[in-house]
Amino acid sequence: MNPATREQLLKVSTATLCTALFKRGLRNQFIQDLRPLNPGLPNMVGPAFTLRYMPAREDLNPISVFLERNHPQRQAVEQCPVGAVLVIDSRKDARAASAGAILVTRLMQRGAAGVVTDGGLRDSPDIARLAFPAYHQRPSAPTNLTLHQAIDIDRPIGCGDAPVFPGDVIVGDAEGVVVLPAHWADELAAEATEMTVFEDFVQEMVLQGRSILGLYPPTDEKSRADFAAWRQARGR
């Protein structure tokens, strides 16, 4: 992805990006029911690399499948590109884990930008101690084999009701994770950056006691003039 776009996305919120997406008619790009294990980290930004689980069929999903070097879960961890986010479709089912601390640590060591699942992660206290963005629905101790069968990688998936295509730009913050269509990423980043500057101005004015009427959105000339002066004074 464009390095300048990445730098912009590191500094904007998922809330602001959701508004920019809504202006373009996209209402379902925020992945539902996710929580960051380590909310104090900087934004997570990177293109999506995907793993899909299907309901496990017991005769095809014994623990011995992990002996296979081409097992899709293992291959997803080993093939996820540097700077990418591994996004896992676990069918919104957190009764069994999507991955655990060893695989997440391997992703971190390989240079991935983060991991996202609409299911659960095991060893979650260990993952929370890593300097690595990880998002899930809730902790889940059982192995993925209990309920999930890894079936393919780097294909379009659904994650928490959001459509995710390989290469879409994934952005996560302390609030959650949003999926940006790859072809709109540059303009969404630029628009969200401008929106953030204005929202910072509005927040400062509201903290000083100003009404939001005419200010947010700026429907009067005074608000627009005040914003221009505020922005110039702060070099933004």
Side-chain angles (χ1 to χ4, degrees):
M1 62 182 297
N2 185 328
T5 295
R6 184 179 185 278
E7 286 301 310
Q8 289 177 317
L9 292 174
L10 286 168
K11 300 172 185 175
V12 299
S13 71
T14 58
T16 298
L17 289 166
C18 284
T19 299
L21 286 162
F22 179 72
K23 292 176 181 178
R24 291 161 174 79
L26 277 70
R27 296 171 169 81
N28 298 298
Q29 299 302 116
F30 188 74
I31 301 178
Q32 296 298 312
D33 297 320
L34 293 195
R35 292 152 187 84
L37 272 81
N38 30 24
L41 293 178
N43 277 14
M44 173 186 70
V45 180
F49 186 83
T50 62
L51 166 64
R52 181 173 69 89
Y53 286 119
M54 63 177 286
R57 205 179 83 181
E58 290 80 359
D59 62 321
L60 299 177
N61 219 43
I63 199 163
S64 59
V65 299
F66 284 152
L67 297 173
E68 302 170 9
R69 296 175 69 90
N70 64 347
H71 186 269
Q73 186 207 47
R74 269 40 180 180
Q75 285 299 311
V77 171
E78 293 296 332
Q79 292 184 31
C80 184
V82 172
V85 177
L86 179 60
V87 184
I88 305 172
D89 173 4
S90 291
R91 302 172 294 116
K92 300 190 293 183
D93 191 341
R95 292 177 297 158
S98 304
I102 291 174
L103 299 189
V104 172
T105 301
R106 175 61 176 160
L107 280 170
M108 180 181 72
Q109 292 300 107
R110 292 194 61 255
V115 61
V116 174
T117 176
D118 59 3
L121 294 170
R122 69 195 308 205
D123 314 315
S124 56
D126 296 326
I127 296 171
R129 285 191 285 270
L130 298 174
F132 185 71
Y135 294 79
H136 70 164
Q137 184 188 135
R138 59 176 171 81
S140 184
T143 176
N144 67 291
L145 300 173
T146 309
L147 291 169
H148 305 311
Q149 184 166 335
I151 199 67
D152 57 20
I153 61 177
D154 211 27
R155 298 286 187 272
I157 62 169
C159 186
D161 295 324
V164 184
F165 290 82
D168 281 349
V169 176
I170 308 298
V171 181
D173 62 9
E175 198 156 39
V177 177
V178 66
V179 183
L180 310 182
H183 62 282
W184 274 340
D186 293 348
E187 65 180 78
L188 285 165
E191 181 175 332
T193 298
E194 287 297 305
M195 290 172 64
T196 298
V197 174
F198 177 67
E199 288 164 357
D200 288 348
F201 159 73
V202 170
Q203 182 75 358
E204 187 173 317
M205 295 301 103
V206 171
L207 283 170
Q208 293 175 13
R210 189 155 164 181
S211 169
I212 60 170
L213 300 179
L215 174 67
Y216 187 62
T219 56
D220 60 53
E221 186 59 38
K222 182 179 187 320
S223 293
R224 290 190 287 270
D226 287 349
F227 173 54
W230 178 93
R231 185 171 194 175
Q232 183 177 20
R234 286 158 181 77
R236 299 182 67 184

